[in-house]
Amino acid sequence: MPEIIFNGPAGRLEGRYQPSKQKSAPIAIILHPHPQFGGTMNNQIVYQLFYMFQKRGFTTLRFNFRSIGRSQGEFDHGAGELSDAASALDWVQGLHPDSKSCWVAGYSFGAWIGMQLLMRRPEIEGFMSIAPQPNTYDFSFLAPCPSSGLIINGDLDKVAPEKDVNGLVDKLKAQKGILITHKTVPGANHFFNGQVDTLMAECEDYLDRRLAGELTPEPAAKRIR
């Protein structure tokens, strides 16, 4: 997969990019865990997500947030990283103007950034939030959440306790017009140690079902005049 460098808001950003052979293929952007706790675009889960979308014909991009690897700039507690993600999506959309839709997948810190990107970009039609941390980060901006997606976590996650994730899911499930799918990986911690295959099987199943037209909300019934 080609190594790429593109311009971000705080300098150059480093990424890995795999274009689809189809001009109008959807775009997938993958966002990595916390930059100050070892998160990079080469994280195993981030890499597996990238490969999952690529295998299904998406134009796929993962990149290092500012200050990581060859990406310039300094850690900015989320605000700058959201700008990095928006710039990354702009960059890949500029190369693929015929692509009409997009997915975003994020893990841990990346899940929080991904959900914020979702709120700003109406072309994002699906999301995957892996081990989001509503106990650490404010998700109240999801009012309402504009797209259907998957939230998946481990039941032994001490970084993002299950009860907090369940609270976020319950709040989003109450919204009309979208369908939130929630999966829990038994025995998995925040890093899915020994459980990455199970995690990826759930993500693949969800993506395949969405691509087959499943797991989207029923259209509202038309009123009889």
Side-chain angles (χ1 to χ4, degrees):
M1 68 203 70
E3 294 184 27
I4 44 113
I5 298 284
F6 57 94
N7 289 326
R12 293 190 304 276
L13 293 172
E14 172 191 20
R16 298 290 182 277
Y17 155 72
Q18 190 67 53
S20 171
K21 291 173 182 164
Q22 300 294 324
K23 275 189 163 186
S24 59
I27 291 165
I29 184 167
I30 323 295
L31 304 175
H32 71 70
H34 202 295
Q36 293 194 313
F37 296 101
T40 80
M41 66 174 175
N42 294 321
N43 170 277
Q44 184 187 9
I45 291 170
V46 171
Y47 174 81
Q48 297 268 14
L49 289 166
F50 178 95
Y51 183 66
M52 174 187 75
F53 280 105
Q54 180 200 330
K55 211 162 57 172
R56 285 158 178 79
F58 283 69
T59 284
T60 313
L61 174 70
R62 71 188 203 270
F63 71 96
N64 277 329
F65 287 124
R66 58 184 64 196
S67 80
I68 296 300
R70 293 162 65 200
S71 291
Q72 296 177 320
E74 295 179 6
F75 177 67
D76 194 34
H77 305 281
E81 288 73 20
L82 175 57
S83 296
D84 292 345
S87 291
L89 186 51
D90 287 342
W91 178 82
V92 73
Q93 284 176 330
L95 294 176
H96 298 271
D98 294 328
S99 182
K100 299 293 184 278
S101 68
C102 180
W103 279 64
V104 62
Y107 169 33
S108 190
F109 174 85
W112 180 52
I113 300 298
M115 296 301 274
Q116 292 179 77
L117 187 65
L118 178 76
M119 291 298 293
R120 288 161 172 74
R121 304 298 280 260
E123 68 272 27
I124 298 177
E125 64 178 22
F127 71 85
M128 291 186 184
S129 279
I130 292 138
Q133 297 169 254
N135 55 314
T136 303
Y137 303 116
D138 183 5
F139 280 83
S140 62
F141 56 81
L142 293 168
C145 179
S147 301
S148 298
L150 172 69
I151 295 176
I152 185 164
N153 60 292
D155 65 355
L156 298 183
D157 191 333
K158 291 187 170 65
V159 178
E162 190 176 23
K163 66 178 176 60
D164 296 292
V165 178
N166 289 342
L168 173 63
V169 169
D170 290 344
K171 183 178 156 193
L172 296 182
K173 277 191 170 178
Q175 297 181 8
K176 292 182 170 58
I178 60 164
L179 186 65
I180 301 298
T181 300
H182 180 213
K183 296 285 184 178
T184 304
V185 179
N189 61 17
H190 192 68
F191 308 99
F192 295 90
N193 291 337
Q195 300 277 11
V196 173
D197 288 349
T198 306
L199 167 69
M200 291 311 304
E202 291 284 7
C203 291
E204 288 174 8
D205 178 67
Y206 178 79
L207 182 55
D208 288 341
R209 292 177 70 184
R210 278 290 299 271
L211 294 176
E214 302 174 38
L215 299 176
T216 51
E218 295 289 329
K222 290 182 180 173
R223 283 190 189 158
I224 299 170
R225 292 182 182 276

